[in-house]
Amino acid sequence: MTGGNVVVVGSVNADLVLSMDTLPQPGETLAATGIENLIGGKGANQATAAARLGASVQFVGRTGLDEPGERARRTLAAAGVGIDHVVAESSVPTGQAIVMVDGSGENSIVVVGGANAAMTAADVQRAAEVIAAADVVVCQLEVPQAVVAAAFAAAQGTTILNAAPASTVSPEVLARTDVLVVNEIEYGMLGGDATFGSDSADLPATVVLTLGGTGARVLARGADPVDVSAPRVEVVDTTGAGDTFVGALAEALARGESTEAAVRRAVAAGAVSVGALGATVGMPTADQVDALLDD
Ligand code: RIB
C-alpha cells in the first residue's frame, strides 16, 4: 500500500490521564488508581493515527516553549509525523487536558486551550504550500475557526472537518468541507436531522456520523444511508477512539479509497484503539486493521 499525503491542522495537548473506578460526582473527592502523562489533543491524535496507518503526515499547530511542548514535538516526530509547521512560542503554554477514565473505559475530559487557542490564520498561511499539496486536509474545533477556514481555503484536496468538541460551525467553513465527521451530539448541534433531509441542507454533501461502539453511518446527499457496524471488542479506554477514526478515514481517503471503504477501515481502527489506556497508545497499524477486517 502506498501512503497518501495528509495534513492535519489542529490542537496538541499534554494529557494528564487519571484512571479511577468511577468518574467523580459534583462535590466528590476520590482516589485515582493510576496516573499517566501523555501527549494528546484531537489534532495531534488524528495525525498520529494517520501516520501509524502509513500516510505521509504533516501537522500544523502550536505549542508553548515549555517542557510539554518539547515533549509533544518529540512524540509527534517519533510517531512519524512531520513537525516543520509546529510553532513553539513562549507567550502561551502548551494546551493541556485532564482526562479521567473509569473502569468501563468511559471518560470525562477538561481542556485548557493554551497555545491551540492562540493559533491564527498566519500559522496556516506559513504552511500553505504543504496544505495545497495534500491529498487530504483534516481540521477539528480545538483551534479557532478562522484557522480552519484558512486551512480549507488553502486546501486543494479533500477536506475533512471533525466538528469536535461540539460547536456551531461558520457557513464559510461548512461550505469548504467535503466530509463532515460528527457524533450524534455534534450532528444535532449543527442542525442535522435523522433522515439527512431538508433540515440538513446546509451541511456538506457527505456526513459521517460516528455511533460509538455501534459503528458509523454514512449520509451522502441523494443516496440511502449506509450503516457500518463495529466489531465487539474489550474496552480499556475510549479516549481518542474518535480521533483514530478520523485519522484512519483521512489515511484511506488519501489513498483514493471510496468513502464507504474508508469508513469501514475507520470503524475497525477505532475498535482496535480502545484496547489500551491513552489516546494514541492503542492506535493500530495497517496490518492490525487488515486483520480485523479479514475476521
Ligand atoms: O479526543 C481526545 C482528546 O481530547 C484528548 O487527547 C485531549 O487532549 C482532548 O483534546
Side-chain angles (χ1 to χ4, degrees):
M1 264 191 315
T2 313
N5 291 316
V6 174
V7 172
V8 180
V9 180
S11 58
V12 54
N13 291 329
D15 284 3
L16 178 67
V17 182
L18 302 173
S19 308
M20 57 204 66
D21 295 332
T22 55
L23 298 173
Q25 300 295 313
E28 185 182 9
T29 301
L30 49 74
T33 55
I35 179 167
E36 304 252 11
N37 278 292
L38 299 172
I39 293 305
K42 295 186 193 302
N45 294 342
Q46 293 170 12
T48 301
R52 195 161 300 168
L53 288 164
S56 167
V57 183
Q58 291 288 330
F59 180 63
V60 180
R62 247 186 204 243
T63 70
L65 202 54
D66 48 19
E67 185 281 327
E70 205 278 312
R71 188 156 41 90
R73 288 191 297 283
R74 210 174 345 110
T75 304
L76 282 166
V81 174
I83 56 166
D84 288 352
H85 300 283
V86 180
V87 175
E89 208 252 312
S90 62
S91 63
V92 194
T94 298
Q96 279 227 302
I98 307 293
V99 181
M100 293 185 288
V101 183
D102 75 11
S104 71
E106 274 311 322
N107 64 52
S108 284
I109 303 178
V110 183
V111 178
V112 182
N116 302 308
M119 268 188 94
T120 68
D123 292 323
V124 170
Q125 273 134 20
R126 279 192 288 273
E129 246 176 65
V130 288
I131 293 173
D135 299 305
V136 173
V137 177
V138 183
C139 289
Q140 333 70 35
L141 300 178
E142 283 185 328
V143 295
Q145 282 192 37
V147 171
V148 179
F152 285 0
Q156 291 180 19
T158 301
T159 56
I160 299 178
L161 176 66
N162 174 216
S167 168
T168 56
V169 176
S170 73
E172 181 194 359
V173 168
L174 286 177
R176 290 190 187 272
T177 301
D178 295 316
V179 180
L180 176 69
V181 182
V182 280
N183 65 24
E184 288 168 285
I185 294 169
E186 293 150 3
Y187 186 55
M189 183 76 104
L190 296 175
D193 63 23
T195 60
F196 200 46
S198 54
D199 287 353
S200 310
D202 295 336
L203 296 181
T206 303
V207 173
V208 178
L209 192 56
T210 58
L211 301 167
T214 310
R217 176 170 299 155
V218 184
L219 300 164
R221 197 148 338 268
D224 289 336
V226 176
D227 284 324
V228 176
S229 57
R232 288 183 73 84
V233 289
E234 202 179 314
V235 178
V236 174
D237 180 8
T238 55
T239 312
D243 299 332
T244 306
F245 182 100
V246 173
L249 184 72
E251 187 278 331
L253 290 177
R255 275 188 295 105
E257 293 208 9
S258 70
T259 304
E260 194 182 320
V263 169
R264 285 190 194 286
R265 287 193 77 75
V267 166
V272 177
S273 75
V274 301
L277 183 73
T280 62
V281 178
M283 286 176 174
T285 60
D287 285 349
Q288 285 173 287
V289 172
D290 290 342
L292 193 58
L293 288 172
D294 286 348
D295 253 6

